[in-house]
Amino acid sequence: MKKKILLGLWFTFLLAAISYLFWQNEYQYSLPTPIPQNYREIAMGSKVDLKCCATDQRPVFIHFFNPECPCSRFNVPHVSGLIKKYGDKINFKIVVLNKEKTFTIEEIQNKFDAQIPVYFDEEIAKNCGVFSTPQAVLIDASQNLYYRGNYNKTRYCTDADSNYAQQAIDSLLSHTNAPSFDALALRAYGCSLPKCTK
């Protein structure tokens, strides 16, 4: 009888530990990021103030990134691929959002294997209506918000049919109307600002 009780307790403990790990590492990141109380919506098509980082007449793609956010870390290869594929047509930028730890520009550039501008300015996120990481923002050559949303419906960016950010880039470069995206593309998932924690 004692063995059965101990075995039952052991299995209960294991189940609880597995459930906790699943919550910590997977499920909580599949839930939409809570919208902050002081959030100011920036509508698609709105003019975006890019005095900080507009350098030429190409469209601007801003990757909002937190090296400590699991979702951000998982999509680094995908974003690196976008930079390599579209770097001659799109002006890529990375905005690092993390109040807990300091990173250097070189550290961030090395993560993405790209010598692109890196900023540590939360105002850029506010100007674009971003309140979580990772998020993609695409701004057309007239500095209008063309796309703000997720990279993919999976945090590992493994579903080619839902490469939302890439679809937005392709649409903008082909001068077609912005594609209509589902809620999974436009609802923020990931780590919350200002501390970029879930």
Side-chain angles (χ1 to χ4, degrees):
M1 184 68 172
K2 257 187 182 179
K3 275 188 178 179
K4 285 184 179 178
I5 292 172
L6 287 174
L7 200 57
L9 288 173
W10 176 247
F11 280 121
T12 302
F13 171 76
L14 282 178
L15 183 61
I18 290 168
S19 298
Y20 175 76
L21 288 172
F22 178 72
W23 167 260
Q24 282 294 106
N25 295 300
E26 189 66 36
Y27 186 71
Q28 71 172 328
Y29 297 107
S30 69
L31 300 174
T33 305
I35 298 172
Q37 281 185 322
N38 60 349
Y39 177 65
R40 186 175 58 99
E41 175 84 29
I42 307 295
M44 295 296 180
S46 298
K47 192 71 113 177
V48 178
D49 176 13
L50 283 183
K51 291 178 201 146
C52 65
C53 53
T55 55
D56 57 37
Q57 293 302 305
R58 291 180 295 164
V60 175
F61 185 100
I62 306 173
H63 173 52
F64 291 90
F65 176 67
N66 175 9
E68 300 293 298
C69 171
C71 298
S72 284
R73 288 194 305 259
F74 289 132
N75 85 345
V76 167
H78 180 69
V79 174
S80 296
L82 292 177
I83 293 167
K84 284 180 178 64
K85 183 173 182 176
Y86 299 100
D88 59 331
K89 301 177 190 90
I90 301 282
N91 198 344
F92 282 90
K93 317 283 186 190
I94 296 174
V95 175
V96 177
L97 301 168
N98 185 303
K99 287 189 167 195
E100 304 295 308
K101 192 173 174 187
T102 304
F103 298 92
T104 66
I105 291 172
E106 292 76 24
E107 284 177 301
I108 302 303
Q109 289 174 334
N110 289 340
K111 283 183 188 302
F112 291 90
D113 191 26
Q115 297 299 308
I116 61 173
V118 176
Y119 302 89
F120 301 89
D121 185 355
E122 284 182 47
E123 283 301 310
I124 299 171
K126 287 180 187 168
N127 289 343
C128 295
V130 169
F131 59 90
S132 72
T133 60
Q135 284 284 280
V137 166
L138 182 59
I139 298 164
D140 67 20
S142 301
Q143 292 195 356
N144 297 314
L145 181 61
Y146 188 83
Y147 175 77
R148 176 190 57 242
N150 299 310
Y151 285 88
N152 197 288
K153 71 179 181 183
T154 71
R155 72 178 178 152
Y156 303 99
C157 295
T158 54
D159 183 354
D161 291 335
S162 67
N163 279 341
Y164 304 124
Q166 183 172 353
Q167 290 167 11
I169 291 172
D170 289 338
S171 171
L172 179 63
L173 292 177
S174 66
H175 304 288
T176 59
N177 291 333
S180 59
F181 291 109
D182 60 23
L184 288 173
L186 304 176
R187 191 179 307 133
Y189 293 85
C191 302
S192 300
L193 296 177
K195 293 187 177 179
C196 267
T197 56
K198 192 64 179 176

